[in-house]
Amino acid sequence: MSVDQATVRRIAHLARIRVTEDEVPHLQGELNAILDFVAQLDEVSVEGVEPMTSVTPMQMKKRVDVVNDGFMADKVTANAPAADDHFFTVPKVVE
Amino acid sequence: MNATLDPKKLISGATGDWEVVIGMEIHAQVTSHSKLFSGASTAFGGDQNAHVSLVDAAMPGMLPVINEECVKQAVRTGLGLNAAINLRSVFDRKNYFYPDLPQGYQISQYKYPIVGEGIVLVDLPDGSQITVGIERLHLEQDAGKSLHDQHPTMSYVDLNRSGVALMEIVSKPDLRSSEEARAYVTKLRTILRYLGTCDGNMDEGSLRADVNVSVRRPGDALGTRCEIKNVNSIRFIGQAIETEARRQIAIIEDGGTIDQETRLFDPSKGETRSMRSKEEAHDYRYFPDPDLLPLEFDQAFVDALKAELPELPDAKKARFMKDYGLPPYDAGVLVAERVQADYFEAVAKGRDGKMAANWVINELFGRLNKEGKDIEKSPVSAEQLGAIVDLIGEGTISGKMAKDLFEIVFVEGGDPRQIVTERGMIQVTDTGAIEAAVDAVMAQNPDKVEQARTKPGMLGWFVGQVMKQTGGKANPQAVSDILKAKIGLE
């Protein structure tokens, strides 16, 4: 598997990362190097092997259904680039 | 699944008939106290960003921990939809950027949902029934809410809903008309409310529908579909489908083709319009969420939930028909809401089921409707209505008097038996008194008596006159019998 330059531009756009035209060939090379590295795993046969989801057998941790968090609008909005009266504010988005 | 073609459901275009094919994705808010992956409240309303934890705000380093009750609610719902429950399911990240989605991804389930294929039986207004296939049900997070009217150039974002658990219930493309689609959503809502897994409150956004609509010539392969997003009332679902089907038919009949796209229904303009540009078409780059292990439970967990399920609408309807001798329509009306069904059963217990059903449906529901009241706020309790039904059954009051009595109880309240005694609303069954009234009416109207001998239809007029004379207290059956004898009919 390898990526072309159009794919690099598309991935950058989907991730909202600004990439200039002259950066594209370099990033294409880096991404393909990563893919080639991971492709070494193709040499291993995993026929009939369950995907491993944790190193030790574990059950998913669960919570009981109680309200024990929240009510901290000050904290939640404290680091926002822009906020007003406990709302986050962003440049207008209208569909 | 509904392979048979009903010509009544086809839409006729300029060049012939068209069949509309509809599939739905219903987003139902899970009834729970706290969110799917955090301990913040799910309560509706609340000050902006009050019901937000650091997990919901996607602060760096915060980890999601699943709410076990939400898992149970999804399993209960799956059981209520006669669906396969998957003992192992996986949470994935659905990646996209939007200001009301602080994580930059929604935690959802993609390849391995918690619930698989199921079935919903849907009754249509004409009495027929269709089977709608369920494709899957999965758990996912709701997003926050953007307000666009607070500021001239800024949108305001409130994350109170962010992270609230949703069940996305996906139907197969089994629906063939807007009427079927409305009936399906209505039935699904009823099932969810019975189960207590979603309150079904469409005004508060607890139930929203994405509607997939395509059209084809009868017998052809499926056409290209458009998805109408976030329709939030059952009436609008019907309107959106009609509008969209006609739009597609017009395009194809003019020689055009349908673009697969997401559209928005605008009820005020009665049109659907394109919502997102194609360039940003669904490329969500799903992958398993590395913060969450697969969700696993055993069959015993499912069986325990199954054992506690309440009686569901289909079973209740069948029981009402069997135990109380109700016609399917009446049984269907009563079971549409659990509180209605419970009310009916309280009235019907130890009494005539059909009479109880008539009083609940025709008198009580009619009157409540007129007042715009829900049955929870009914001024007449099941006990009071039961007493009225008893008084009719005993022959103490006539049906006409019962209606007056019902009105008194509805407006003023009180014990029906006491009201009857206090206000002298006792039906006259004393033959002598009725005979006297009959004689008086006949004496005043000799010409009509003559007419009645050849036209027995006149009898009703006489019964009315006698009832008037007795202040509505005479037993109408007795009046009718005595009149027939005296006039010489039969």
Side-chain angles (χ1 to χ4, degrees):
Chain A
M1 190 162 75
S2 68
V3 296
D4 58 14
Q5 299 202 353
T7 306
V8 173
R9 286 187 205 99
R10 195 167 62 87
I11 293 168
H13 173 70
L14 286 169
R16 298 297 187 276
I17 296 172
R18 192 191 308 272
V19 170
T20 58
E21 249 338 276
D22 53 343
E23 287 174 305
V24 171
H26 173 67
L27 284 169
Q28 182 190 9
E30 289 212 333
L31 287 173
N32 280 327
I34 294 168
L35 288 171
D36 288 344
F37 174 68
V38 176
Q40 291 179 66
L41 291 172
D42 291 346
E43 294 168 17
V44 185
S45 168
V46 290
E47 188 77 22
V49 179
E50 282 282 307
M52 188 178 76
T53 48
S54 73
V55 180
T56 52
M58 282 168 73
Q59 277 283 309
M60 190 188 208
K61 198 171 149 52
K62 302 193 177 76
R63 263 182 332 105
V64 290
D65 184 30
V66 292
V67 176
N68 55 14
D69 207 346
F71 304 105
M72 50 170 94
D74 275 333
K75 270 189 176 175
V76 162
T77 53
N79 292 323
D84 180 16
D85 189 24
H86 288 162
F87 282 108
F88 295 95
T89 60
V90 297
K92 192 157 261 187
V93 274
V94 181
E95 288 270 10
Chain B
M1 204 169 278
N2 301 290
T4 51
L5 211 54
D6 182 349
K8 287 199 297 287
K9 284 175 183 149
L10 298 178
I11 297 180
S12 53
T15 59
D17 287 344
W18 295 86
E19 184 183 27
V20 55
V21 177
I22 305 151
M24 297 235 241
E25 295 163 21
I26 305 286
H27 295 265
Q29 183 181 324
V30 174
T31 298
S32 66
H33 299 297
S34 61
K35 295 183 179 180
L36 182 55
F37 294 113
S38 88
S41 170
T42 60
F44 183 74
D47 290 341
Q48 54 271 24
N49 289 313
H51 300 163
V52 178
S53 75
L54 298 178
V55 178
D56 309 316
M59 292 295 170
M62 303 311 293
L63 287 173
V65 181
I66 200 163
N67 181 339
E68 190 170 29
E69 178 62 16
C70 295
V71 175
K72 288 182 179 171
Q73 294 286 53
V75 172
R76 288 184 188 112
T77 306
L79 293 169
L81 302 176
N82 311 296
I85 307 297
N86 295 323
L87 301 181
R88 182 179 189 278
S89 63
V90 175
F91 285 98
D92 297 274
R93 291 186 179 179
K94 178 181 180 177
N95 299 280
Y96 66 96
F97 285 103
Y98 208 73
D100 60 20
L101 186 80
Q103 292 166 146
Y105 57 86
Q106 176 193 35
I107 304 179
S108 181
Q109 297 190 298
Y110 187 52
K111 271 193 191 158
Y112 305 101
I114 185 167
V115 175
E117 292 187 329
I119 271 174
V120 177
L121 298 175
V122 177
D123 292 312
L124 299 174
D126 68 1
S128 62
Q129 192 178 59
I130 57 168
T131 305
V132 179
I134 298 294
E135 178 72 35
R136 60 186 278 160
L137 175 155
H138 66 253
L139 278 169
E140 63 183 26
Q141 297 176 300
D142 202 352
K145 191 179 177 188
S146 305
L147 305 169
H148 305 297
D149 55 0
Q150 306 287 305
H151 191 278
T153 59
M154 306 293 272
S155 287
Y156 279 42
V157 180
D158 173 11
L159 299 180
N160 280 352
R161 295 189 71 102
S162 170
V164 169
L166 300 178
M167 297 178 281
E168 179 170 325
I169 304 166
V170 183
S171 84
K172 293 185 185 283
D174 284 347
L175 300 159
R176 293 291 177 272
S177 68
S178 60
E179 183 182 67
E180 289 187 1
R182 279 186 285 128
Y184 164 71
V185 180
T186 305
K187 181 61 179 286
L188 196 60
R189 182 174 176 276
T190 300
I191 293 172
L192 294 171
R193 284 171 58 82
Y194 266 69
L195 290 165
T197 57
C198 169
D199 65 20
N201 192 332
M202 299 188 92
D203 294 338
E204 293 179 1
S206 301
L207 202 68
R208 284 116 68 188
D210 295 344
V211 192
N212 287 296
V213 179
S214 65
V215 297
R216 64 177 173 189
R217 293 292 188 188
D220 278 6
L222 289 175
T224 304
R225 67 187 157 85
C226 289
E227 181 181 18
I228 311 165
K229 277 274 179 201
N230 260 331
V231 192
N232 61 3
S233 87
I234 290 174
R235 191 161 58 95
F236 289 162
I237 288 169
Q239 290 174 2
I241 291 167
E242 293 289 332
T243 306
E244 178 60 16
R246 283 173 201 288
R247 184 188 73 89
Q248 293 184 12
I249 290 168
I251 290 173
I252 300 171
E253 290 193 331
D254 283 349
T257 52
I258 304 299
D259 294 327
Q260 182 167 342
E261 61 180 356
T262 305
R263 299 180 70 84
L264 197 68
F265 177 62
D266 183 340
S268 59
K269 290 186 183 148
E271 62 173 31
T272 65
R273 59 169 181 270
S274 188
M275 206 174 147
R276 284 177 194 155
S277 66
K278 249 204 204 146
E279 190 208 0
E280 288 183 80
H282 310 180
D283 190 348
Y284 293 126
R285 294 149 293 140
Y286 283 96
F287 65 90
D289 191 322
D291 288 342
L292 291 159
L293 284 164
L295 175 58
E296 291 175 301
F297 41 79
D298 56 17
Q299 189 58 41
F301 175 79
V302 178
D303 292 343
L305 292 170
K306 191 170 193 170
E308 288 170 13
L309 285 188
E311 183 182 36
L312 291 171
D314 291 334
K316 203 183 271 294
K317 182 180 169 188
R319 184 168 62 80
F320 280 10
M321 289 165 64
K322 185 169 161 284
D323 289 1
Y324 299 106
L326 300 187
Y329 179 82
D330 287 2
V333 168
L334 290 169
V335 304
E337 292 282 347
R338 198 165 158 182
V339 280
Q340 290 181 5
D342 290 347
Y343 187 104
F344 162 73
E345 285 218 86
V347 176
K349 200 176 173 196
R351 301 189 176 95
D352 181 83
K354 277 185 190 165
M355 197 194 264
N358 279 338
W359 274 87
V360 172
I361 295 171
N362 298 325
E363 302 305 322
L364 181 70
F365 289 176
R367 192 69 176 81
L368 287 172
N369 234 342
K370 213 167 121 192
E371 299 282 314
K373 277 193 172 133
D374 288 337
I375 190 148
E376 285 99 329
K377 303 236 169 70
S378 170
V380 180
S381 70
E383 202 184 1
Q384 286 168 315
L385 190 57
I388 295 173
V389 172
D390 281 342
L391 289 163
I392 307 166
E394 294 159 8
T396 310
I397 57 174
S398 66
K400 164 80 179 65
M401 291 158 78
K403 285 185 187 185
D404 296 340
L405 176 60
F406 174 82
E407 187 60 24
I408 293 168
V409 176
F410 194 95
V411 176
E412 302 171 25
D415 173 14
R417 279 189 189 280
Q418 209 174 333
I419 294 169
V420 162
T421 316
E422 281 171 8
R423 309 199 185 186
M425 298 176 79
I426 309 291
Q427 175 167 252
V428 178
T429 41
D430 169 17
T431 322
I434 296 174
E435 274 186 18
V438 168
D439 287 342
V441 171
M442 285 176 69
Q444 285 158 21
N445 303 283
D447 49 332
K448 291 217 163 65
V449 174
E450 273 311 309
Q451 286 176 30
R453 292 209 166 102
T454 48
K455 271 171 65 188
M458 288 284 296
L459 197 69
W461 181 84
F462 275 99
V463 173
Q465 291 301 306
V466 175
M467 292 303 285
K468 215 188 247 175
Q469 189 112 28
T470 57
K473 288 180 198 167
N475 178 328
Q477 190 56 50
V479 172
S480 179
D481 291 346
I482 292 167
L483 270 166
K484 277 182 192 162
K486 295 220 177 223
I487 296 175
L489 292 167
E490 289 174 323

